[in-house]
Amino acid sequence: MPPSPQVLIVGAGPAGLALAAELAGFGVSCQVVDKRTGRSRLSRACTVEPRTLELLDMRGRVGDLLAWGRECPHPPLGNEDGYLDYGLLDTPFPFSLSIPQARTEDALQAAAEKAGALLLPGTEMTGLSQDDDGVDVELTGPEGPATVRARYVVGCDGVNSTVRDAVGVEFDGWNYDQSLMMADARLSSPPGPAEYARITRRGMAALFPFRDGTYRVIVLDREKFAVPADEPLTLEDLSESCGAILGSDIGIHDPLWLSRFRSSQRHAKRYRVGRVLLAGDAAHTHIPSGGQGLQTGIQDAFNLGWKLRAVLDGWAPQGLLDSYEAERYPIAAETLRKTDLSFRFETSDGLPARLLRKAAMWSMRIKPVHRLNVLHLSGLTLRYPAEKRDRWTGRRVPDRPLVTAPGGPERLYELFRGGHFVLTGAEGCPPAAAGWEARLRTGVLAEPLGAGWPAHVLIRPDGYVAWAGVEPGRGLTRALRHWCGEPRTVAG
C-alpha cells in the first residue's frame, strides 16, 4: 500500500472524485479507494445543473464536462410544447448539461489525478476504528489486506455505505413501490424538439440526447409499476411503453443498457462521527426527479473540501468542520422533500393529481413562476443559514467581469482557483483584514454583483457570502475570525 494519506475517501463516484480533486488541489494528500475495478455503464444521473458547473468553473475544472456534454437550455415540461427557459438565469451556464454519469466521473477523475490524488480501484474497506488523532482503516485490495491510517475518512460509498455502517449512523427513509424504466439507446425516429417529454394518463416518457447520438430514455408506465425491479427489462417492453405514452414508435435500438429500478428516499441521521464524515449518496439518496442527486453530492464535496483543508492546515476556527453538517443537512432534507413531492406529482393518477398537473403546466406561462422554478432546479437559490437573519450571508455570489489590468484574471470566479477567500470592493488589504492575507485575496474590483448588493463582500472558497457590508470594519474582522480562525502576523 502507498504511504498513509491525510484523508482517505471511500467511494469513487461523483462526490468522492469531486472531493479528491478539491483536497488534492489544495495540497492535501488523499487517496480514493473503490471496490469497483471499472466504471459502471448503468449511470442513472444524466444532467449537471448550472450551480454545479459554476463550482467546477471556480476551480478551472469544467472544460471536459462542457466538451463531452450537450447543452440543454430548454428542458421539456411534458406537455409537448412546454419547456423551461434557462436563458432567464444570471449565470455563465444558462443550460442544463446532458451527460452520462460515467462521463462526469471520467472528468472528475481526470481532475483529481491531475491535482495529485491517488485512486486505488479494486480496493474495499472492510472496517475502521478511530481515536483522537486519526482513523485506522482496514482495506482489502489486489495485494491483499492492509491497514491504513488517515487523519480523516470520508464515506462517499453510496446508499449501501460500509463507512456509514461502520460508525453506526442510521439511514432512515422508505422505498417506493413503483417500478420505473430507464435506458441509454439510439432512436431511429426521435420526436422534435431534441429534448422531449410527454405526460399522459398512461404515464410519462422523457428523452434526452447525448453528444454521442444516444438518448437517455426515462419511462414511468402506470400499467407496469408493479413489475418487480429485478425483472430484466427488454427492448420490446420499453418500446411498447414509449409507443403507448408518446403515441408513435420512436425506433429504440442498440441499447447500451436497460434497467428497471425502484427509488428510495433516505437520509443519514448524522454527517460526522468524530473523524469520519459522510457525503453524497452515503448521506442522502432520493428519486432522480430533476437530477438533483448528483448535484447535491458534488456540492457536498465543495462545502467539505475547503473546511477539511483548513483543519489540516491548522487555521480552522473552532467548529468549522461541524458547519459541514449544519449547512448541508438542511439542503439535503429540503431536496428530499421536493423530490418526493415531484415523484408523487408525476406518478399519481387520481383526478386531483391530474387537475394539479394541468394547473402546474398552465402556471409555467407566468414568467415569475417560471423563473422561480428554473432557479430552484438550477441550484442558484441554494443558501446556507445566516445568523440574525442577515440578508446576504450564505447567498451564492454570481460571476462578474473584473476591473483589472490586462493580462490578469478577467472574471470573479477565476479568483477562486486556489481556494482562497475573496474580498471585493476594497483596493488593497483593509486594516480590518490585517493578519489574514495568506488566506484572503483583496484588492478585487468587480462589476456590481446586482441591485442592492453592498459595496464590500467577503466570499468563501465555495462561492457563498461570508460577510457583506458598506465598510470593511469590525463586521469584516468578526467574519474573518469566525471563518478563518485567528489572524497571523506572519503568513502561513
Side-chain angles (χ1 to χ4, degrees):
M1 281 286 177
S4 294
Q6 290 175 290
V7 179
L8 181 74
I9 300 168
V10 182
L17 293 170
L19 180 60
E22 280 288 277
L23 292 172
F26 297 150
V28 174
S29 67
C30 69
Q31 294 174 13
V32 184
V33 298
D34 195 297
K35 62 183 179 182
R36 300 175 300 173
T37 56
R39 194 83 69 223
S40 171
R41 294 200 308 169
L42 275 71
S43 53
R44 292 181 181 175
C46 65
T47 58
V48 182
E49 294 293 340
R51 183 52 182 164
T52 306
L53 293 171
E54 287 184 347
L55 291 169
L56 293 166
D57 181 35
M58 288 178 187
R59 303 291 189 260
R61 297 178 184 137
V62 77
D64 283 347
L65 285 175
L66 296 178
W68 296 340
R70 187 180 190 278
E71 296 179 11
C72 176
H74 301 121
L77 283 172
N79 60 343
E80 298 194 66
D81 59 347
Y83 63 86
L84 294 170
D85 184 5
Y86 274 55
L88 298 172
L89 301 175
D90 177 12
T91 174
F93 309 102
F95 49 80
S96 176
L97 190 72
S98 296
I99 180 171
Q101 181 176 323
R103 292 300 267 167
T104 299
E105 291 179 4
D106 286 341
L108 293 173
Q109 179 172 332
E113 292 181 321
K114 181 179 180 181
L118 178 63
L119 273 68
L120 300 173
T123 304
E124 184 174 5
M125 192 205 86
T126 56
L128 64 78
S129 60
Q130 60 175 312
D131 54 40
D132 291 342
D133 299 317
V135 188
D136 292 310
V137 185
E138 299 170 17
L139 302 174
T140 300
E143 300 176 0
T147 298
V148 171
R149 185 167 176 83
R151 296 279 303 280
Y152 289 90
V153 169
V154 184
C156 301
D157 49 341
V159 294
N160 298 312
S161 172
T162 304
V163 175
R164 188 184 63 239
D165 290 345
V167 291
V169 173
E170 296 180 34
F171 200 41
D172 290 343
W174 64 88
N175 298 322
Y176 291 101
D177 295 330
Q178 296 90 338
S179 170
L180 312 182
M181 294 177 277
M182 191 180 293
D184 284 352
R186 295 189 177 274
L187 309 181
S188 58
S189 302
E195 290 82 15
Y196 187 85
R198 189 178 184 193
I199 300 174
T200 68
R201 287 293 302 275
R202 175 77 178 260
M204 185 274 288
L207 311 169
F208 296 93
F210 295 133
R211 187 179 282 273
D212 64 0
T214 60
Y215 280 75
R216 170 60 53 87
V217 182
I218 306 169
V219 178
L220 288 70
D221 186 342
R222 293 189 181 90
E223 293 188 6
K224 299 175 182 178
F225 278 167
V227 177
D230 57 1
E231 181 176 313
L233 175 62
T234 66
L235 189 59
E236 292 73 23
D237 201 12
L238 180 66
S239 297
E240 190 279 329
S241 292
C242 282
I245 295 169
L246 298 174
S248 64
D249 182 5
I250 57 176
I252 306 175
H253 64 96
D254 294 332
L256 299 177
W257 58 270
L258 307 103
S259 177
R260 299 184 197 274
F261 69 97
R262 278 195 170 91
S263 290
S264 61
Q265 297 272 97
R266 298 191 181 279
H267 201 181
K269 286 287 190 181
R270 302 173 63 185
Y271 286 12
R272 180 187 181 192
V273 178
R275 291 178 172 268
V276 179
L277 301 107
L278 302 173
D281 285 352
H284 42 72
T285 185
H286 49 78
I287 63 170
S289 295
Q292 295 303 305
L294 181 139
Q295 324 307 319
T296 309
I298 293 177
Q299 290 167 26
D300 284 348
F302 274 84
N303 186 289
L304 178 58
W306 70 269
K307 295 173 181 178
L308 271 175
R309 179 260 193 108
V311 172
L312 292 166
D313 283 357
W315 55 263
Q318 184 74 24
L320 181 64
L321 204 51
D322 288 329
S323 73
Y324 165 64
E325 178 180 318
E327 292 183 338
R328 294 303 300 169
Y329 190 95
I331 296 296
E334 180 65 6
T335 300
L336 265 70
R337 187 187 70 82
K338 289 179 178 178
T339 53
D340 179 57
L341 290 174
S342 176
F343 186 79
R344 297 180 190 281
F345 174 81
E346 293 167 352
T347 58
S348 298
D349 191 39
L351 179 60
R354 296 200 303 272
L355 293 175
L356 182 60
R357 279 196 292 270
K358 185 173 292 188
M361 294 295 183
W362 183 89
S363 72
M364 294 302 289
R365 301 175 185 177
I366 304 171
K367 190 171 182 178
V369 175
H370 188 118
R371 184 173 182 273
L372 185 61
N373 276 274
V374 177
L375 279 168
H376 281 304
L377 276 175
S378 67
L380 302 188
T381 57
L382 186 155
R383 180 173 182 176
Y384 293 133
E387 294 182 0
K388 301 179 181 178
R389 299 184 181 273
D390 178 88
R391 180 183 177 189
W392 302 105
T393 302
R395 289 180 60 168
R396 157 195 170 263
V397 174
D399 195 17
R400 289 292 182 267
L402 294 175
V403 183
T404 56
E410 298 180 354
R411 298 183 295 118
L412 180 60
Y413 281 7
E414 294 178 37
L415 299 180
F416 293 94
R417 296 288 193 260
H420 292 84
F421 281 74
V422 171
L423 177 64
T424 68
E427 295 189 28
C429 183
W436 285 283
E437 292 88 345
R439 287 156 260 167
L440 176 66
R441 296 196 67 160
T442 59
V444 177
L445 301 177
E447 292 188 5
L449 297 176
W453 278 78
H456 304 279
V457 181
L458 176 66
I459 311 169
R460 301 174 1 170
D462 54 357
Y464 292 91
V465 176
W467 168 87
V470 177
E471 292 293 337
R474 286 180 295 179
L476 172 61
T477 300
R478 286 195 298 269
L480 285 166
R481 185 169 274 112
H482 176 79
W483 291 109
C484 300
E486 294 301 315
R488 295 180 180 176
T489 54
V490 179

